[in-house]
Each structure stands twice: as C-alpha cells, then as structure tokens.
Amino acid sequence: MTAVSDFKSPFLRDFVARGHYYDCTDREALDALFLKERVTAYIGFDCTAPSLHVGHAMQIMTLRRLQQAGHRPIVVMGGGTTKVGDPSFRNEARPLLSEETIETNKQAILKSFRNFLTFGDGPSDAIMVDNAQWLDKLEYVPFLREIGRHFSINRMLTMESVKAKIDNDLPFSFLEFNYSIMQAYDFVELYRRYGCRLQSSGSDQWGNIVSGIDLGRRVENIQLFGLTTPLITTSSGAKMGKTAQGAVWLNPDMRSPYDYWQFWRNTEDADVGRFLRIFTDLPEGEIARLEKLKGAELNDAKKILATEATAICHGRAVADEAAETSRRTFEEGAMATGLPSFSLKLPDGILNLAVATGLASSNSEARKLIANNGLRLNDVAVSDPKMQVDASALNPDGVLKLSSGKKKHVLVRPA
RNA sequence: GGGGGAAUGUCCCGAGUGGCAAAGGGGGCGGACUGUAAAUCCGCUGCUUUCAGCUUCGUAGGUUCGAGUCCUACUUCCCCCA
C-alpha cells in the first residue's frame, strides 16, 4: 500500500501537505490516475439551510485545489437528496423540508461558489448540477431492480453511521435508510454523465462514498475513488464555525464580510498554521514563517489569515475593506464606516437601540447587558437602562457607535 | 395488533415529594486577566412598562385553594411480545 508520503501526483502531494487529506479508498491507483489524466471529481452539498457555513469551506477548498491543479470539479447540489435527508451521525431524524424550502435554499447556496471556483465550459472549469435532475425521475420498481438489488442490507447494517443508530436504539426510518443508496447512485450517475471518477467529502461520508464505489463496480464495471478530509475542530475541541449565535455563514446576506473576517481574526493561536494551509492559497514558505511568530506577533498572522480567507469567499476588495474597518475599529478606536450600520429614529431609549441593532435580543437581555457593564455608547459604558439617546450622541459625521462587549460594534445613523 | 415506558426552561443534557420561574451541567453572553488567542476566575442566562407583573414543563380537558407533579383523551417516540 502506498504511503501518504509516497504520492507522486502534484494534486495529492499538495492535498496532504496542506492538511486536507484524511483517507482514500485506493491511494496507489488514485495517485496514478491523477498523474495520467485530468480527473473529474465531485462533492455534494445538501440544501438544508439558506447558506453554507465555514464547516463546508474545507470541502469547497478541496474543489478549489482540484481546479488549481488542472482537474475538473463538480459541485453537486443535493436538491434531490435533501428531500430524503442524511441521517448520518445524527441522533434525530432531520425534519422533512418542503420542496419550496429546498429550492429557496438551493438558489441561495449556489451563489457561494462563485468566488471559490471558476465555472464555464473549459476543460478544468467547474460544473454545477442538481441531483434532483435524475433522482426525482426515478421509478420505484425499476430502480429497485436495477440498483436496489446491489445493496446488501447485511452490509449496510454494519456501516458505522447505521450501526450507531441500531446500537443506540435510535429511530431509523426507511426513508433515511435510503439516503445512502441515493448518494451511491449519484456517484454512478455522475460517472455516466461526466466521467466523474472521484468523490470527495468529509470523513463522515466515508460509508456513503464506499457504497457508491461498490455500485460503480457492479453496474458500470469501473473503479471509482473516494477521498476524505478530516473533520475540522478548533484546538480547544469545538466544531468549526459553530459559534452559538449561529453558524458562520458564507452567504454575505447572512453574515457580513466584516464579521466573516472577524471570525478568522479570532482564531486560536494553535490553529493559525493549520487554517492558513487549509483556508488560504498562501504558499508553504510564507505559512511556515507566519506560524512561527510568537505571542502577540501571531496576531499579524491572524490578520493575514482573515484577509486571505475572506478574499477567497467574498473577493479581494471586500476583504481589504473588512481588514481596514477592523484596523480602524480595534487599533485606532475610531468609528470605522465599514462597521455594520443601522438607520434608526433618534431620540430613543438605549434599550430599544440595543435591540434594534441586534446587540441584544430582547429588552431584558439589554438590561442584563447593562447590568453587567457590557453595553457601551461611543465607548462609554451605559449604566442607566432608561437612558435616552438623542442627536447629541452623534459625532461630527452624524454617527454614533454602540458596542456589546469589546468586540461587537455597530453604527447608528439617524433615520 | 397486544403490553410497558418516555416527552421539562423553545440550544443541548437533565433533577423535580401538589406551593416552581422550576436543582445541576454543557453551551452562550458579559466582566477581570491578556495579544480581538487559550487557560483561569466572577456575574448573567423565560418575557415585560422590573422593588412588581406576565407566560412556561408534548396537546386538549378534568380534580384541587393551588398541578411539571394526580385523573382522562389525544399526539409523537422508544422497548417487549406478535
């Protein structure tokens, strides 16, 4: 068996070096394939939310690396599979989403890929397809006869994601049971349509990927491949991008580029090098230099990480602007105009302003924030929950700054 | 189809004897210390017009001065038997 360090193809060598690699179904053969030809590979994204989040960024970066190496990435929107719902490693069944919701989500998610990948008709241009295209049309009995007969219940029951359900006496419906079959079928269909030989994904999808590979061998007599990436957690063990105010969305409507930049700026020390390799395109030499910085100097590396990662997701100009807004806000204490801003009627109570700007979710919460000395108006702590804010709080530019804690700042302009 | 069990603070787990805004965690939010880091410590964590009021314990009724706690029906899920 080829060791990871023996990879010859530029793509896999880079993939390993940058920390994307977790496992592969046939290292030697896949390496050879990458050396021999332009490989078409896909990753599927289900439409369970109106945006992808940072947790998906690893997968999108995988497609980006493929494209950079001259291969052809396929983005598969799971318009079909989302109707079934992936049960893997979840304690509860996903709520069944309506078709309208799935379609809305899909339309919103599509946009996220524009900056990460180049789409088009060229040989290594990315392709986007929706698996509803073929899954929706399947007929039950023909499908069972052609595809279903290749699936062994006995073996599916031994798959880790399924076994966990059985062992823990968790509910597991027939619908959910079929998700794996749908995904396996996708792989084969993508091979038929685009000559797609490789499926990549997070390590939790291993079982589903392997199912697709088996199916490919049986119905098309072709060797397909699987390549997985590690589940990314922060050094202190938290899942990537699961801050509790919500996921770190990639869609700018749901999380502003400035906040996205801030997310990366707040990376833990121990993660800086790892994240630079995975989430930016910086060359290894540069990253090696940055991650060696000590103590407070590491903050410079975090700023670069933030700007580079934001640039890939939202564009360079937007990223630079977010960096500048952050610099002025945190390093100069100025009222940078790039902060999230709100137009509100002005004489108003401080509680209303805190709620209207999203700094607090209710008046009670705003009161508590004040009681804890956490709410500040123009950098001065607010002590009176009954305080009225009027035009006198505005600076010469006609703006005032409201902050919750040391990191969350918003601007208010009179409406 | 028959029998048994479970649903708790709208993030999760989870105590709860008829007097409960409801123990304890986790998570989150603020504060202190720092480097917009981690770790640690402290406070907060249902809503409101906040020295008080209002609404919460799967749903709908009922018993009671008073129900998360008792009764009835229903819903969903789990287990055992078929």
Side-chain angles (χ1 to χ4, degrees), chain A residues 76-153:
Chain A
V76 173
M77 299 303 298
T81 33
T82 309
K83 291 175 190 170
V84 173
D86 185 2
S88 304
F89 304 103
R90 297 182 142 257
N91 290 155
E92 287 170 37
R94 287 174 182 274
L96 224 45
L97 300 175
S98 72
E99 304 210 1
E100 301 80 75
T101 305
I102 292 171
E103 182 60 24
T104 309
N105 288 346
K106 191 183 90 182
Q107 292 307 326
I109 290 172
L110 287 176
K111 292 180 278 186
S112 298
F113 292 95
R114 292 285 156 218
N115 287 317
F116 284 92
L117 302 170
T118 305
F119 291 86
D121 298 322
S124 68
D125 281 347
I127 297 171
M128 182 173 290
V129 286
D130 181 350
N131 61 15
Q133 266 180 44
W134 52 85
L135 294 180
D136 278 3
K137 284 187 238 154
L138 293 178
E139 291 180 285
Y140 196 60
V141 173
F143 183 72
L144 286 179
R145 289 172 59 89
E146 286 161 31
I147 304 297
R149 69 194 181 95
H150 297 296
F151 284 83
S152 154
I153 295 280

Side-chain angles (χ1 to χ4, degrees), chain A residues 369-411:
Chain A
L369 191 60
I370 292 170
N372 284 316
N373 213 23
L375 185 68
R376 283 172 304 144
L377 170 63
N378 294 329
D379 297 315
V380 179
V382 174
S383 56
D384 178 14
K386 292 194 178 118
M387 177 183 193
Q388 285 293 312
V389 180
D390 57 31
S392 65
L394 299 171
N395 75 354
D397 292 332
V399 195
L400 64 82
K401 182 163 77 169
L402 211 54
S403 315
S404 163
K406 299 218 164 57
K407 293 189 191 173
K408 278 178 289 186
H409 308 281
V410 297
L411 300 181

Side-chain angles (χ1 to χ4, degrees), chain A residues 5 30 68 79 95 116 126 160 233 286 307 325 409:
Chain A
S5 54
L30 183 60
Q68 286 168 339
F116 284 92
E160 237 181 286
T233 53
E286 175 77 354
T307 302
T325 297
H409 308 281

Side-chain angles (χ1 to χ4, degrees), chain A residues 12 18 26 102 113 160 173 191 207 209 249 285 294 304 336 351:
Chain A
L12 283 175
R18 297 198 77 103
D26 185 339
I102 292 171
F113 292 95
E160 237 181 286
S173 72
Y191 167 70
I209 293 174
W249 304 111
K294 291 279 179 271
I304 291 171
L351 295 178

